[in-house]
C-alpha cells in the first residue's frame, strides 16, 4: 500500500476539537494522504472555515453529517481505496505504523480480542458489539476496535448497504414501546469483519492477529479522558469543563 491510498476520517462534535488533532498531524510520521472531518449538521460556516485554515500538508474535507454520528463509518465520503477512523478526543501517535504481512499479498494485519468470557462478558458494551456483529456471521468470535481497523472502501460500501437493510428489518420487529434511552449502536469494525466472514473474504483481505497474545500498536493516543468524552456526549462542554477544573485546582 502506498500512502496515496489511505484517508483518515475524524468524527468531531463540539468546539472543533479535531483542530487539535489536525494541527499536530504533520509532527507525526503516518501513512495518511487525506483527512475527512465529520461534524454536526448544526456547525456554523465560521467553524468550518476556521477548521480549514489550520496549517497542514494534507488536504482536509469538512463534511456536515446528514445522518446521526454513529453512522460516520458508513456516511464518510471516501475517495481512496482504504481508510481509518478516529475521533477528535484523540491525536496521532508520533509514529503511526500499519502492519502488513510479509508475503506477496501484503495483507493488512488487524489486531483483535477474542470475544470470550475472559475478555468480554463483564462489559456491557463489548457484549452488545459482539452480539450485533453475529447477525452477519454467527460464528464470529473476534472483537476489533473501530480505530484499529483499516477499512477497504469497496467492502465498506457493500457492508453498509446490508447493515442498513438489516437494521431496518430489526427495527420493524421491535415493539415501539422499546425505545431505549441508550444511544443506538451503529455499524462497527467488529460487524464489518463479521460481514467479511459471512462473505467468505475476511481472510483473503486481512490477517487477523490476537492482541492478547501478540500485542497491538496504539496508533492513536487519547487526548481527552473517557470521562470527558462521556460528559461531552451528554452535552457538557469539554473545554469549559476543563477550564473550570483548572480554576478549581488553583
Amino acid at each position: 500500500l502506498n500512502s496515496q491510498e489511505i484517508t483518515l476520517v475524524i468524527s468531531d462534535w463540539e468546539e472543533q476539537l479535531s483542530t487539535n488533532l489536525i494541527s499536530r498531524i504533520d509532527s507525526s510520521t503516518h501513512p495518511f494522504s487525506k483527512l475527512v472531518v465529520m461534524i454536526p449538521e448544526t456547525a456554523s460556516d465560521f467553524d468550518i472555515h476556521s477548521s480549514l485554515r489550520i496549517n497542514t500538508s494534507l488536504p482536509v474535507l469538512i463534511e456536515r453529517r446528514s445522518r446521526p454520528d454513529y453512522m460516520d463509518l458508513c456516511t464518510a465520503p471516501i475517495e481512496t481505496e482504504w481508510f481509518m477512523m478516529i475521533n477528535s478526543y484523540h491525536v496521532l501517535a508520533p509514529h503511526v505504523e500499519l502492519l502488513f504481512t510479509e508475503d506477496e499479498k501484503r495483507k493488512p494485519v488487524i489486531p483483535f480480542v477474542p470475544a470470550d468470557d475472559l475478555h468480554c462478558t463483564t462489559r456491557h458494551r463489548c457484549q452488545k458489539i459482539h452480539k450485533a456483529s453475529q447477525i452477519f456471521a454467527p460464528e464470529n468470535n473476534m472483537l476489533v476496535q473501530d480505530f484499529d481497523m483499516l477499512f477497504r472502501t469497496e467492502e465498506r460500501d457493500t457492508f453498509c448497504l446490508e447493515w442498513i437493510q438489516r437494521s431496518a428489518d430489526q427495527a420493524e420487529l421491535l415493539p415501539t414501546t422499546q425505545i431505549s434511552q441508550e444511544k443506538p449502536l451503529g455499524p462497527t469494525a467488529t460487524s464489518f469483519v463479521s460481514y467479511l466472514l459471512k462473505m467468505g473474504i475476511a481472510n483473503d483481505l486481512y490477517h487477523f492477529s490476537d492482541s492478547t497474545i501478540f500485542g497491538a500498536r496504539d496508533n492513536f493516543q487519547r487526548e481527552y479522558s473517557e470521562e470527558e468524552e462521556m460528559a461531552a456526549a451528554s452535552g457538557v462542554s469539554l473545554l469549559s469543563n476543563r477550564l473550570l477544573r483548572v480554576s478549581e485546582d488553583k
Side-chain angles (χ1 to χ4, degrees), residues 189-247:
T190 300
S191 282
F192 176 71
V193 168
S194 179
Y195 165 79
L196 298 177
L197 286 169
K198 178 184 87 97
M199 300 301 287
I201 54 176
N203 295 303
D204 297 334
L205 278 176
Y206 297 102
H207 174 81
F208 296 97
S209 167
D210 185 339
S211 62
T212 63
I213 300 170
F214 302 107
R217 281 201 166 94
D218 279 329
N219 284 317
F220 303 103
Q221 297 171 346
R222 192 169 259 293
E223 181 76 355
Y224 295 90
S225 69
E226 285 190 42
E227 294 74 43
E228 287 179 299
E229 184 174 335
M230 300 306 282
S234 61
V236 177
S237 159
L238 230 169
L239 299 182
S240 54
N241 199 20
R242 238 179 208 202
L243 292 171
L244 269 175
R245 281 223 316 274
V246 171
S247 58

Side-chain angles (χ1 to χ4, degrees), residues 2 7 27-28 36 64 70-72 75 77 94 100 122-123 133 144 147 153 156 158 181 189 206 216 231 250:
N2 61 43
T7 297
S27 61
S28 294
V36 172
R64 280 195 179 100
Y70 56 80
M71 292 299 294
D72 284 357
T75 55
F100 298 90
T122 50
R123 296 176 48 204
S133 79
V144 177
F147 303 158
T153 309
R156 185 277 307 251
T158 53
Q181 292 306 303
Y206 297 102
K250 281 182 180 162

Side-chain angles (χ1 to χ4, degrees), residues 7 9 34 36 38 61 63 72 74-80 156:
T7 297
V9 177
K34 183 175 181 181
V36 172
M38 304 296 288
L61 172 69
E63 179 80 5
D72 284 357
C74 286
T75 55
I78 311 289
E79 291 171 0
T80 53
R156 185 277 307 251

